[in-house]
Amino acid sequence: MEQIDAVNLVANHVQRWRLRDRSGILPAGRFVLTVTEDENQWWRFEFRGEGDRHYITGTEWSRFAQPRIDARLTLYAQQDGENFHRMKVIMRRN
């Protein structure tokens, strides 16, 4: 799986995650990004791409991000034959 970007979630990411896709995998424009961690639970995030800067926003993103503040998130590219992206979430132990 090719990594697109990773972030340590902090409070300001609840509204928006601005990420950089230096690989050029993600398209420009607005669309819905379908994401799973384990293929049992699915999320559909609002996505906007402009050059190498991309943003994940929206209500669904905020609901996803809020309980995961302090976690490490990694977004991966789609695999061949898949129409979704994988996200790895590592919760930080306090």
Side-chain angles (χ1 to χ4, degrees):
M1 286 189 294
E2 186 173 354
Q3 179 179 318
I4 294 174
D5 199 10
V7 67
N8 292 319
L9 276 184
V10 294
N12 66 324
H13 289 125
V14 171
Q15 296 302 312
R16 171 179 80 173
W17 175 17
R18 184 178 75 194
L19 55 116
R20 287 189 175 248
D21 174 23
R22 291 181 179 89
S23 67
I25 291 170
L26 297 171
R30 292 177 179 261
F31 61 93
V32 173
L33 185 71
T34 302
V35 175
T36 186
E37 183 180 4
D38 57 11
E39 294 188 41
N40 291 317
Q41 189 169 10
W42 298 85
W43 298 278
R44 294 173 54 84
F45 303 137
E46 295 173 32
F47 186 87
R48 182 180 54 174
E50 301 168 352
D52 71 343
R53 294 175 193 254
H54 296 78
Y55 305 90
I56 298 175
T57 62
T59 304
E60 185 76 9
W61 168 252
S62 294
R63 283 195 296 249
F64 173 84
Q66 181 64 47
R68 291 170 178 82
I69 290 176
D70 292 329
R72 176 80 175 165
L73 267 63
T74 306
L75 179 65
Y76 294 96
Q78 293 177 348
Q79 300 276 59
D80 288 341
E82 295 180 339
N83 63 348
F84 58 90
H85 293 264
R86 296 181 187 275
M87 185 173 292
K88 182 176 181 181
V89 178
I90 300 174
M91 298 301 290
R92 200 168 127 195
R93 307 263 187 245
N94 291 338

